[in-house]
Amino acid sequence: MAAITVTNAELSQDSDDIGLTLLHDPVQNKGTAYTREERHQLGLEGLLPHAVETLDRQVERVLDHLGRLKDDLDQYNYLMDLEARNETVFYKTVMSDPKRFIPILYDPTVADACEAFGNLYRRPRGMYITRHMKGRIADVLRNWPQRDVRFVCVSTGGRILGLGDIGANGMGIPIGKLQLYTACAAVPPQVLLPVLFDIGTTNEHLRADPFYLGTREAPLPEKELDELTEEFIEAVNEVFPGCCVHFEDWKGTDAIRMLDRYKDKVLCYNDDIQGTAAVALAGISAGLKQAGGKLQDQRILFLGAGSAGLGISKLIAAELQTLGLSAEEARKRIRLFDVNGLIESSRTDLTDAQKPWAQDEAPSKNFIDVVERFRPTVLIGVSTKAGAFTREVIETMARHTPRPIIFALSNPTHKAECTAEQAYTYSKGKALFAAGVQFDEFVYEGKTYRPGQANNFYIYPAIGLATYAARPTRLNDECFIVAAHATADQIGPSLQAKGMLYPSQDQIMETEITTATRIVEYMFDSGLATVERPPEIRSWIENLLYNPTY
């Protein structure tokens, strides 16, 4: 059993105070697992029920309690309270069955939690940075009790899932993202810091809500946001040297601008752009193993040309260039379609990030016309437009390609461009399908199809584990390409037979460790790593993993 950690200041208190301090510290608290001797030494006698329980028995009680809660949001709230009371039991529980708990801790349940965040708020979790802290952000960050922080997941709440701008209510996202670093890849929780960068919100409903917990101002103008972000990035690197900044759910234009500005300057990445791109590339790679063909021979059409669509396009193009294509040749294999139609060269409303993807084609605001004309082999939805992949779209695509690869990546569930049932039925069982959320198995003409979940949790926890282990100076595009192929390579024949494009979530920890090992090998080979290369990388990584135990 691990030694009890109590600070010198706490030892100077009366024993009863020490006991209460321990019981209110979620990291050190053992609850009913304290032994008789520990209860006597630490002033815990009388503060706990008589029984001395094992960690496994505590987890059994949690599972029993959760079994009585039928609503997913109620289970989410219970687990958040558990984490605030006993971090060890929380992670022992969720790591015992990640397939069950990922949808509770994160997508789709976290969307409901974010919408009601102000009403559900109980205890502080993470840090909140506002414009009113300008000039002293470093001092504010020093209020965080941990000094060895390796990851700061920071969101403005400006583009949460398919919910849009929900401001400070978006704090549920960095909290949930970092919980999956640990639940899926065993990155130690004490090195993770969720941050809500509260720059204001355009959401008038929230600003009028008496329970809203964020600043009730309009978002900062771009220049002021950039200045505040610059100070924040500098402060993170000052207070937590070597820390990786994980940008999450910033408004699309802000997300692209910040990644372009900082990716070559500091250790950082944007999961919405690079993580989404990698998980899409993994699915395409896996799909081509079943459908046959090479990436350079595909025609890829996007519905949605925001940060996610552009990020996926960029990573696919980077992969195509490693296969020998020029940048121009790579872009010619990709088309993007947004709310104003096809991204083509005559348009005058394109952003700087969209302009490189504009091809010399006839304008069109009719998506089915573009499908008919371009004849995509891969169709990717990042539009948040529910039902946009209609029967006509899918039937047209299936008419021109033997095994259409269809990704309806928008989430939560009610934002998906199509359902698994629609993809399989409209394509007459030809589609290789994945969505941002997990759909149930579907039987079509006697054959069972298992839809994939093209969720970033296959990628970013492995990126996190690799970064935690190797301490790289930067995260480049190749890190995400390596992660994509490592993920795709773990889909065996039995999963392929069901048309699956991603590994089973039953063994998510094994998947993440395998992927992280490949990423770390690349980091050492490319000179990105700053630690000494071990003789055997995988066993070295396994020795660094967090193990929830007393």
Side-chain angles (χ1 to χ4, degrees):
M1 183 174 291
I4 300 171
T5 304
V6 185
T7 66
N8 290 332
E10 290 163 352
L11 287 172
S12 67
Q13 301 172 0
D14 292 338
S15 60
D16 286 348
D17 291 333
I18 296 171
L20 288 173
T21 297
L22 288 172
L23 292 177
H24 289 96
D25 180 350
V27 178
Q28 298 190 68
N29 182 26
K30 296 182 182 181
T32 54
Y34 282 111
T35 66
R36 300 271 181 243
E37 182 180 358
E38 287 171 337
R39 298 180 189 205
H40 176 71
Q41 290 178 347
L42 299 172
L44 291 167
E45 290 181 304
L47 301 180
L48 292 165
H50 174 76
V52 175
E53 297 185 308
T54 63
L55 176 56
D56 288 341
R57 177 53 55 84
Q58 291 176 314
V59 171
E60 288 177 21
R61 178 177 290 104
V62 170
L63 294 175
D64 179 73
H65 195 142
L66 287 169
R68 300 170 190 271
L69 302 174
K70 302 307 178 185
D71 184 82
D72 287 349
L73 187 57
D74 288 341
Q75 293 188 46
Y76 173 90
N77 289 330
Y78 176 81
L79 287 170
M80 293 305 101
D81 283 344
L82 175 62
E83 185 190 29
R85 290 183 281 109
N86 190 318
E87 186 178 83
T88 304
V89 175
F90 169 79
Y91 279 113
K92 185 72 171 180
T93 300
V94 300
M95 293 169 78
S96 70
D97 191 356
K99 182 179 180 180
R100 171 183 174 182
F101 290 111
I102 286 172
I104 302 298
L105 292 179
Y106 201 63
D107 194 29
T109 309
V110 73
D112 297 329
C114 285
E115 286 191 291
F117 189 83
N119 302 73
L120 300 176
Y121 182 85
R122 291 177 174 83
R123 303 185 189 191
R125 178 78 167 79
M127 298 195 77
Y128 295 80
I129 303 297
T130 73
R131 67 185 73 182
H132 310 291
M133 300 169 184
K134 187 176 182 180
R136 52 192 183 88
I137 293 177
D139 291 336
V140 173
L141 290 178
R142 290 189 180 94
N143 290 334
W144 188 250
Q146 295 290 340
R147 282 294 164 264
D148 184 20
V149 173
R150 304 286 190 89
F151 298 91
V152 166
C153 182
V154 56
S155 177
T156 62
R159 198 228 60 175
I160 299 294
L161 300 173
L163 305 176
D165 180 357
I166 60 172
N169 279 15
M171 183 51 140
I173 297 297
I175 290 172
K177 285 281 185 177
L178 293 180
Q179 287 171 336
L180 295 198
Y181 270 58
T182 304
C184 295
V187 177
Q190 67 268 21
V191 305
L192 309 173
L193 171 57
V195 172
L196 194 286
F197 206 53
D198 189 356
I199 62 169
T201 179
T202 60
N203 192 318
E204 296 291 347
H205 172 74
L206 285 178
R207 288 161 64 178
D209 184 347
F211 291 115
Y212 180 61
L213 294 168
T215 60
R216 297 175 186 270
E217 300 146 308
L220 285 168
E222 185 176 298
K223 183 176 182 296
E224 293 181 36
L225 173 59
D226 289 357
E227 291 173 353
L228 195 68
T229 304
E230 177 71 17
E231 182 185 345
F232 174 75
I233 294 296
E234 291 179 354
V236 167
N237 282 274
E238 175 187 336
V239 178
F240 310 120
C243 180
C244 178
V245 177
H246 169 161
F247 292 104
E248 184 67 36
D249 285 337
W250 291 50
K251 187 177 70 176
T253 53
D254 293 338
I256 294 169
R257 189 174 71 258
M258 295 308 174
L259 181 61
D260 288 345
R261 178 170 298 165
Y262 292 111
K263 66 180 181 179
D264 297 323
K265 295 181 180 179
V266 300
L267 181 61
C268 70
Y269 74 103
N270 184 301
D271 182 53
D272 304 299
I273 298 174
Q274 294 163 293
T276 301
V279 81
L281 181 58
I284 293 171
S285 177
L288 292 177
K289 290 180 181 180
Q290 299 176 45
K294 300 177 181 178
L295 182 63
Q296 54 266 45
D297 297 327
Q298 305 310 304
R299 297 178 301 278
I300 303 166
L301 174 60
F302 288 83
L303 181 62
S307 59
L310 292 170
I312 300 170
S313 299
K314 184 178 178 181
L315 196 69
I316 292 173
E319 169 81 339
L320 287 169
Q321 289 176 71
T322 68
L323 298 173
L325 275 64
S326 68
E328 182 180 1
E329 289 171 333
R331 287 195 291 268
K332 284 184 176 179
R333 285 155 173 77
I334 296 169
R335 298 291 185 276
L336 296 104
F337 191 102
D338 69 2
V339 291
N340 295 317
L342 180 66
I343 303 293
E344 42 79 21
S345 55
S346 73
R347 282 180 53 175
T348 59
D349 61 337
L350 301 180
T351 66
D352 289 342
Q354 291 173 329
K355 288 176 182 177
W357 304 97
Q359 299 294 323
D360 293 328
E361 288 200 25
S364 178
K365 294 189 176 182
N366 186 331
F367 188 62
I368 189 64
D369 171 64
V370 176
V371 173
E372 184 70 63
R373 192 168 60 187
F374 185 55
R375 298 189 175 186
T377 58
V378 180
L379 182 61
I380 300 177
V382 282
S383 66
T384 70
K385 187 177 178 182
F389 292 169
T390 62
R391 174 187 289 272
E392 186 179 10
V393 166
I394 295 172
E395 287 181 345
T396 301
M397 184 185 181
R399 194 165 61 246
H400 297 304
T401 184
R403 295 298 305 277
I405 297 173
I406 300 174
F407 292 166
L409 300 185
S410 294
N411 54 42
T413 307
H414 65 275
K415 298 284 186 177
E417 286 79 9
C418 69
T419 66
E421 178 179 352
Q422 290 166 339
Y424 295 128
T425 302
Y426 298 161
S427 70
K428 294 182 170 55
K430 295 164 62 177
L432 292 159
F433 175 79
V437 295
Q438 183 64 64
F439 284 99
D440 292 334
E441 286 187 350
F442 179 72
V443 178
Y444 178 78
E445 293 189 348
K447 182 177 179 180
T448 300
Y449 295 85
R450 179 65 176 173
Q453 185 176 10
N455 194 291
N456 297 13
F457 64 68
Y458 281 111
I459 300 294
Y460 75 81
I463 289 284
L465 179 56
T467 301
Y468 174 71
R471 305 295 295 266
T473 55
R474 299 289 183 271
L475 289 169
N476 59 22
D477 283 345
E478 189 65 26
C479 291
F480 292 89
I481 292 174
V482 170
H485 287 293
T487 302
D489 289 346
Q490 295 181 69
I491 304 168
S494 63
L495 299 181
Q496 291 182 15
K498 289 188 175 184
M500 287 187 66
L501 302 176
Y502 296 94
S504 172
Q505 294 174 26
D506 293 326
Q507 302 296 324
I508 191 68
M509 184 74 70
E510 174 69 20
T511 299
E512 303 282 2
I513 295 171
T514 299
T515 300
T517 300
R518 291 265 293 271
I519 300 168
V520 169
E521 288 171 350
Y522 166 74
M523 288 175 172
F524 280 117
D525 292 343
S526 63
L528 290 174
T530 62
V531 299
E532 183 178 351
R533 184 169 191 151
E536 213 290 313
I537 290 176
R538 186 183 178 99
S539 62
W540 171 67
I541 290 175
E542 290 174 340
N543 286 331
L544 298 175
L545 301 179
Y546 167 73
N547 181 23
T549 188
Y550 294 135

